[in-house]
Amino acid sequence: MPKLAPVPQMGQVTIALNELVPYSLRHYFNRRPDRPHYRVRRYDFGSSPALMPLVRAFLDTCAAQQNADYRHLFTLLGSELAGNALKHSLSGLPGRSYSLLCERHRNGLRLICRDGGVPADRPRNVRDRLHLKADPGGLDPEADAGRGLAMIDALATDWGDNGFPSHREVWFFLAYDLEDSRWPLLYP
């Protein structure tokens, strides 16, 4: 049998992230309030952490009508949910995805992150846990883990999850006036 020649290594291809977005949905990512009267916006993101700039553009555009503090905080908290979906669920595996759904309400924005659930090979106690809880020591700068949900707990007006580890939905609500958020207290 003849020996096959080695396959040459392919070069890297770089494309603009907006090329991954259908033309009809590009206004979801433009960071401008030019289409402010939406009720719901939803987008499915792939499993690559390289898409996080696109996630942040989506979040910033959802809050585009608000002041800079609100936009920053909404984007920060939403990025944390997206990062958790990639790190702690099946959504982080190649070929998988998670979705971000933003609901616009009279008094604030609610963001829901739907991910692929907890991997089946995780310890049973992790899969059986119903509702997520913030680590009480998570805001300690010396903490090794648990900062994400602690930050969401401290800075969002309200937050929670659906209690189903096999198809997790984690959400937060951020009031436009930042009511019940520790944002002004933690970052004066």
Side-chain angles (χ1 to χ4, degrees):
M1 179 179 236
K3 189 173 184 179
L4 297 175
V7 177
Q9 200 169 28
M10 300 290 286
Q12 287 188 330
V13 175
T14 304
I15 62 168
L17 285 176
N18 71 343
E19 293 298 323
L20 300 174
V21 177
Y23 182 78
S24 63
L25 297 178
R26 289 195 181 164
H27 65 280
Y28 280 18
F29 302 91
N30 66 11
R31 293 188 157 116
R32 295 189 318 253
D34 55 350
R35 296 191 186 196
H37 304 293
Y38 69 91
R39 170 76 176 98
V40 174
R41 283 187 177 167
R42 177 180 174 231
Y43 198 79
D44 295 334
F45 294 92
S47 61
S48 174
L51 296 175
M52 286 305 286
L54 200 58
V55 169
R56 287 189 284 279
F58 173 80
L59 296 165
D60 191 51
T61 304
C62 288
Q65 282 192 292
Q66 304 307 312
N67 65 41
D69 269 1
Y70 187 92
R71 288 174 78 167
H72 175 77
L73 187 55
F74 185 78
T75 302
L76 175 71
L77 298 178
S79 297
E80 183 59 38
L81 289 187
N84 282 351
L86 290 173
K87 184 175 181 181
H88 301 295
S89 80
L90 293 171
S91 294
L93 297 176
R96 298 295 188 104
S97 66
Y98 62 95
S99 67
L100 294 179
L101 179 111
C102 181
E103 297 173 344
R104 187 170 161 248
H105 295 273
R106 177 181 44 81
N107 58 343
L109 296 177
R110 177 182 165 141
L111 185 74
I112 302 164
C113 180
R114 295 177 178 153
D115 66 35
V118 178
D121 63 346
R122 285 276 179 91
R124 185 149 180 83
N125 61 346
V126 173
R127 284 182 298 159
D128 292 344
R129 181 174 30 184
L130 293 179
H131 291 283
L132 299 172
K133 290 182 175 50
D135 183 347
L139 292 180
D140 180 356
E142 303 297 321
D144 290 335
R147 289 189 189 119
L149 286 181
M151 181 177 64
I152 290 170
D153 186 49
L155 301 177
T157 304
D158 195 14
W159 76 280
D161 70 296
N162 65 352
F164 297 109
S166 61
H167 51 282
R168 180 82 67 195
E169 287 185 9
V170 184
W171 61 270
F172 72 84
F173 178 79
L174 189 61
Y176 293 137
D177 61 5
L178 299 180
E179 180 183 335
D180 295 328
S181 173
R182 291 173 52 189
W183 176 257
L185 300 174
L186 292 174
Y187 304 96

